[in-house]
Amino acid sequence: MRKPRIPARLSRPTKNVLAFDTVESINWRALAPIGVFFLLCVVIAIFSPNFLSVSNAIRILNASAIPVVLVMGATFVILMGSIDLSVEGIVALCAVVTASLVLNDTFASDLGLWAIPFAVLAGGIIGGINGSTHVYLKVPSFMVTLGIGFVCLGIATAALGGFPVRISDRGFRALTLGRTLGLPNGIWVAAAAVAVAMIVQERTRLGRYVYAIGTDETTARQSGVPIERTRVLVFVLAGLFSGLAGAMAAAQLGQGHALIASGRLFTTITAVVVGGTALSGGVGSVLNSVVGVLIVIVLTNGMVLMGVPPFVQQGVQGFLIIVAVTLALDRRQLLVVK
Amino acid sequence: MESILELESVTKEFPGVRALDSVSMHVDRNEVVGLIGENGAGKSTLVKILAGIHRIDAGTMKFGGEQASFRSPRDAFDRGLTMVFQEQSIIQTLTVAENIFLGREREFLRFGIIDKRAMNAAAKVELAKVHLDCDPATKCANLDFAARQMVEIAKALSLDGRIDSDIVILLDEPTSVLERREIDLLFEIIKELKNKASIIFISHRLDEVLQVSDRVYVLRDGAVVHETASKDATITGLHEHMVGRQLDHRYYRENKQRQSLGKPVLSIRNLSIDGEFRNLSFDLSEGEILGIAGVVGSGREAFARCLGGLLPPSGGEILIDGRAVRLNHPHQAVNAGFGFVPSERKSEGIVIGLSVSENMTLAAGKRFSKFGFISFERERAECQRWIDRLRIRTPSTKTPMQSLSGGNQQKVVLSKWQIFGSKVAVLDHPTRGIDVGAKEDVYELIREMAEQGVAIILLGDTLEEVIGLSNVILVLKDGEVSARFEAPVGAKPDQIDLISKMV
C-alpha cells in the first residue's frame, strides 16, 4: 500500500460542503519514463548530430508503428497481472493470412484492404482461445500463450511449407508504405490504435475492470466485477491488436511468412515494462507503453547511428529491461519474489 | 418498530467447532445496534454470514421481512446489506467515483462509453452524505484510511434511492485505526445516517459501543448471552456478560506451572515499532510463561511478529543472555533463539507441500546433514520420537503436512522449534482453530517446554487461556503497557480486571 498523501477532509456535518481541496502530488515514479526518454535523446544527439533531424524523427516513428500497436494489447494483459507470450505467433499467422488474401503469388485471391478485417478477426479469435483456455481451464496465462504462440507459428510454417507468400498488391502495401499529410500511413494506423486503446482504458467498463482485477482481484470479485468475462475479453483485445500488427507487417515487408515477427515479443514486453507498467498488475497505462516503445526504438536507432555492433545492441536491450524493472519496484513491500 | 433484519436460531458449524449456536437477533429500521464479544465469541462468523461469505447451517435469516440467503458479498450489497470492514474493499488504483460505482457502471453508460462527468457528479452526491470533501476523480491511494472508510460508507449509501429495500450498514471495528477527532466525526455521521439506514456497530471499545448504539447484543461462545438497551447498560456489566464462565484449573495444567524459574534469558528494553507499540520493557526467565493480553490494534500482534523477525523494530533493545541481538530478518530471530509460532498456521507456520519430517527439521536442517547431505535415518528417528511424544496423529514421518488435522499440524510447528532448540518460544494464538482435545495437548506441550527451560511469550486465543497458562501477564492498550499482573497458581487475576485495562 502506498503512503496516503491526502488527509481526509471531513467537514463538520452541520455545514454543506463540496469544495475542492485536494492537492494531487506529482507521482515522480510515473513520470520517470518520460525523463528517461528525453535524457536518452539528449545523450544520443550529443554523440550523433544526425539524430535530431526531421527525417530521422519520421524514421523512428515509422519503426515504432508496429510495436505501438502490439503494446496496446499487451499493456491491458499486463495491467491485469497476466502475460501474453503469443505475440509473435499471432502476428506471423495473421501476416500469412493477410498476404494470402490480397493479390499474391501463391493463392488466387484479391481482397485488397478488405484483408485487414480478416487478419484482425483471426487475431481476435486466437486471443479468445488464449483467454478461454486461461480462464476456464485455469491454466496460467504464461503457459497458455507460450503454447498457443508456438501453435500459431507451426500453422504459419506448415500452411506454406516454409515458403513466404509474396504480395503483389501495391494498393495494399500503401497501408504502411504510403504517406498521408507527409507521414507514413503506418504512423496514422498506430495513432488510431492508441486512440482506441485510450478510450477502452479511460472510458469503458472493461478498462475499469482491468485495473480493478490487476490491483485486487478478490475485492473486485466481491464487488461484482465479472472477472472471467473481463479476462477473456482482454485477451481477445490483445489478439485484435496483434492481428492488426500482422497485417501491417505483411504490408511493410510485402510478404507473409512464419518468421516475419521474430524479435517482436521481446520488444513488446520490454516496451511495456520500460514504460512503467508493473508486471504485478494494476499500475500503468497505454500511454506509458507508447513512451516505452519510443525509448526502445530510440535506443536502437541511436545505437545504429553511433555504430554499435548488433550483438552489443541486444545486450543493451536486455540490460535495459532489468534496470527498468529494478527502478519500478517498491522493494520494501516485497517479501516473496518468484 | 419494524424489523429490517431478523435472525432466528441461526447455527453455523465448522469442522470441530460450533461457531454460532442458535443465535437470534433483530435490527429495526433507523436503529444502531451494537455487537460485542471476546475474540472467538462468534462475531466474525456472524458478520461473514450477514455479508454473504458464509451460509447458515440451520435457522432462518429474514431481510426486509423476506427469507434471505446471500450468495456473495455482491448479492448482499445489491439487496441492501453492506459492510465496511477493517480490511477495506477499496481498490487503490481506481478513483473515488470508480470505487463507489464499481460493478454498477451500467447507469452511466452511453453506447458502451462511461460518462465520467455524470459518474463523478453522482459520486459527489454520495460523498456529501458522509461530508467527505474530496474530488471524486482522486485516486483512492491518495486518501488516508479515514477518508477511504468514508468512501466505503458512501458506497453503501449510494444504494439509497437505487434499490427499494432498506439499507443496513455493518461497521466492523470502524474506529480501531482512527484518531480521536476522526472517531467523533464518524459518530456524528452515524447519528445523521440513522434516518437513511440501520447500522450494526461492532467494536472492542465498549464505551464507544454504548455511546453510539441504541441497543447492544453480547455474544459469547457462539451464542447471544445478553441483550440490553444502551441507556440501561454499564461497561462493567457488559464485561461480566462477555466473560461469563469460571476458570477450570485443570484444563490449563496449572499444577504444572513452574513456581521457581531458571536464570534470566531475555530482556527487552524500550522496544518500539512506529505506529504499532511504544517503549515495551520486560525480563523473562527460563521456564517462565509471559502472557500478553490486548485487543486487535493494541500492538500485541506486531510485537510477536517483531520477535519473529518479520517486523523490524524502530527503536529499543533486545538482549538474549545479556547479549544484544538484531531482529531485522527472520533468519536473525531464529539464530538469536526465538521460535515464532505464527497465528496464520496454514500460510506461515507450515509448508503445505512438504512432509511431516521435512517440516519438523526445517529450522534444524544442519543437525541432520553432513557436507550438505541429509541423513534421512537420523532425521526419521528424531521425528518419530517427537511424533510419539506429542501424540501427533500421522501415519508416518513422510505423510504430507496437509493431510494432518489443524491440531496435529500445530504440534509439528511447536516441535520444529523444540528440535531446533529455541530459547524463547513466541506463540501467537497457538490454539486458534483447533479442537478441544488438541488444545489440551498443546497446553501440555507448553508446560513441558517451560519445564525444560524454554521461556515462553504467549498471545492467547482467549483471555482465559492467557490467565490459565501464564506466570505473568502484560496488558497492552493502544501500543503501551497499561497493566502488569502476576499470575501465580491459586492467585490468578480475574478476566474482568484484565478487560478493564484492555479497553
Side-chain angles (χ1 to χ4, degrees), chain A residues 77-205:
Chain A
V77 174
I78 291 176
L79 274 176
M80 202 166 62
S82 299
I83 192 103
D84 184 355
L85 301 179
S86 64
V87 167
E88 289 182 4
I90 300 183
V91 170
L93 186 56
C94 292
V96 168
V97 167
T98 312
S100 309
L101 290 178
V102 300
L103 197 61
N104 65 76
D105 67 349
T106 314
F107 301 101
S109 59
D110 184 12
L111 283 182
L113 288 174
W114 288 106
I116 299 169
F118 284 97
V120 173
L121 185 69
I125 291 171
I126 303 167
I129 296 172
N130 272 336
S132 314
T133 314
H134 163 50
V135 168
Y136 298 111
L137 299 183
K138 297 194 195 286
V139 186
S141 58
F142 179 92
M143 238 27 251
V144 173
T145 56
L146 186 65
I148 297 283
F150 278 109
V151 169
C152 291
L153 283 180
I155 294 173
T157 312
L160 301 174
F163 295 104
V165 180
R166 277 177 231 292
I167 297 174
S168 25
D169 185 337
R170 297 218 135 264
F172 173 74
R173 295 202 60 193
L175 173 65
T176 49
L177 299 184
R179 287 185 178 237
T180 306
L181 299 176
L183 290 179
N185 288 341
I187 297 175
W188 295 110
V189 175
V194 173
V196 169
M198 272 307 285
I199 290 172
V200 171
Q201 176 185 296
E202 290 295 313
R203 287 302 178 96
T204 65
R205 280 190 285 181

Side-chain angles (χ1 to χ4, degrees), chain B residues 257-269:
Chain B
Q257 179 164 333
R258 280 181 68 157
Q259 311 277 355
S260 62
L261 304 170
K263 63 180 174 57
V265 51
L266 171 70
S267 299
I268 291 201
R269 295 280 170 269

Side-chain angles (χ1 to χ4, degrees), chain A residues 61-87:
Chain A
L61 287 179
N62 200 25
S64 304
I66 292 177
V68 161
V69 172
L70 287 174
V71 296
M72 291 302 100
T75 306
F76 286 114
V77 174
I78 291 176
L79 274 176
M80 202 166 62
S82 299
I83 192 103
D84 184 355
L85 301 179
S86 64
V87 167

